[in-house]
Amino acid sequence: EPEVTQTPSHQVTQMGQEVILRCVPISNHLYFYWYRQILGQKVEFLVSFYNNEISEKSEIFDDQFSVERPDGSNFTLKIRSTKLEDSAMYFCASSVDRDSPYSNQPQHFGDGTRLSIL
Amino acid sequence: AQSVTQLGSHVSVSEGALVLLRCNYSSSVPPYLFWYVQYPNQGLQLLLKYTTGATLVKGINGFEAEFKKSETSFHLTKPSAHMSDAAEYFCAVSLQAGTALIFGKGTTLSVSS
């Protein structure tokens, strides 16, 4: 079964540094997402991406964050200048099969990247 | 705005006992409803999803959920718990395909022998 893959599984970065988290969504999907889960808290939506542009974003997704689909397979989340509070598990997800775009389709999640800011 | 409430941050059951994890949602329109499970150090795996017209939804690993519109609830159940069911369970809602999932705070299920 196709799956969402994320790299790296764990990223350690100094505060103030830029970090790029990478994801390969399921190949036939149209929508891509980033979520984060701070330790002990619930999963929070960051941003969704469709047709090469941001379709929805939350208040968390400020100017320090950006997303990109640099080629036909990768989807990246960049944090420009990391802060201690950016430490969290970041999940990528994808959904909506292009062959059946109108059915109730769930989002499929990767295993996440644990980001630790020192 | 949508919101999801999961009653009970931690539920403990004995192996073979009934599992009941509660989820209530608030939404101005009928939402898409999901249950996800997260095993330690893993991502979120879909357990089941609500499909319009069906009140009882069956998922993987013997789990099912009942949609009650009048109570705005989507509680997750399993007749007989297994040790391998120990994990964190998240209820989630979205208004339509391709939009943000709003998650509850999660319920940690512990299963003792």
Side-chain angles (χ1 to χ4, degrees), chain A residues 13-18 80-84 117-118:
Chain A
T13 303
Q14 292 288 332
M15 188 172 59
Q17 296 295 306
E18 174 184 287
R80 188 173 308 130
S81 177
T82 50
K83 309 182 195 68
L84 291 175
I117 307 300
L118 303 179

Side-chain angles (χ1 to χ4, degrees), chain A residues 31 33 35 37 40-45 48 55-56 89 91 95-96 101-112 114, chain B residues 4 32-34 36 38 41-46 49-52 88 90 94 96-106:
Chain A
Y31 284 84
Y33 315 82
Y35 294 81
Q37 184 181 29
Q41 297 186 27
K42 66 179 178 179
V43 179
E44 301 173 291
F45 169 75
S48 60
S55 54
E56 189 180 5
M89 181 73 91
F91 291 107
S95 73
V96 189
Y102 300 112
S103 61
N104 175 13
Q105 297 178 40
Q107 294 179 23
H108 296 263
F109 286 79
D111 283 342
R114 181 167 299 284
Chain B
V4 177
Y32 291 165
L33 294 160
F34 307 90
Y36 284 87
Q38 185 180 30
N41 301 313
Q42 293 188 28
L44 296 159
Q45 181 182 359
L46 179 73
K49 65 177 184 181
Y50 167 67
T51 302
T52 305
E88 185 144 23
F90 292 94
S94 69
Q96 61 186 55
T99 62
L101 275 175
I102 306 301
F103 284 87
K105 289 187 177 180

Side-chain angles (χ1 to χ4, degrees), chain B residues 10-22:
Chain B
H10 199 158
V11 170
S12 297
V13 301
S14 299
E15 195 171 21
L18 171 71
V19 175
L20 171 60
L21 305 182
R22 299 177 188 274

Side-chain angles (χ1 to χ4, degrees), chain B residues 13-94:
Chain B
V13 301
S14 299
E15 195 171 21
L18 171 71
V19 175
L20 171 60
L21 305 182
R22 299 177 188 274
C23 173
N24 288 87
Y25 67 91
S26 67
S27 175
S28 56
V29 297
Y32 291 165
L33 294 160
F34 307 90
W35 276 97
Y36 284 87
V37 61
Q38 185 180 30
Y39 298 101
N41 301 313
Q42 293 188 28
L44 296 159
Q45 181 182 359
L46 179 73
L47 266 182
L48 50 80
K49 65 177 184 181
Y50 167 67
T51 302
T52 305
T55 56
L56 189 63
V57 180
K58 293 190 183 299
I60 62 171
N61 301 337
F63 283 93
E64 56 187 33
E66 186 174 7
F67 173 67
K68 289 187 177 180
K69 186 178 178 181
S70 60
E71 298 178 8
T72 59
S73 68
F74 191 56
H75 301 330
L76 182 72
T77 60
K78 182 172 180 177
S80 177
H82 192 272
M83 297 292 284
S84 60
D85 294 327
E88 185 144 23
Y89 292 80
F90 292 94
C91 182
V93 60
S94 69

Side-chain angles (χ1 to χ4, degrees), chain A residues 3-73:
Chain A
E3 57 182 30
V4 176
T5 57
Q6 291 186 242
T7 55
S9 57
H10 193 181
Q11 174 82 44
V12 181
T13 303
Q14 292 288 332
M15 188 172 59
Q17 296 295 306
E18 174 184 287
V19 67
I20 297 175
L21 310 181
R22 302 180 191 281
C23 169
V24 179
I26 294 173
S27 62
N28 218 33
H29 281 182
L30 299 173
Y31 284 84
F32 316 119
Y33 315 82
W34 283 101
Y35 294 81
R36 79 172 184 190
Q37 184 181 29
I38 294 172
L39 190 63
Q41 297 186 27
K42 66 179 178 179
V43 179
E44 301 173 291
F45 169 75
L46 293 178
V47 65
S48 60
F49 194 83
Y50 170 73
N51 201 26
N52 288 317
E53 60 183 27
I54 290 173
S55 54
E56 189 180 5
K57 62 181 181 179
S58 71
E59 292 178 353
I60 303 168
F61 193 86
D62 60 22
D63 292 343
Q64 293 296 315
F65 292 90
S66 62
V67 289
E68 193 178 33
R69 187 155 165 83
D71 52 44
S73 60

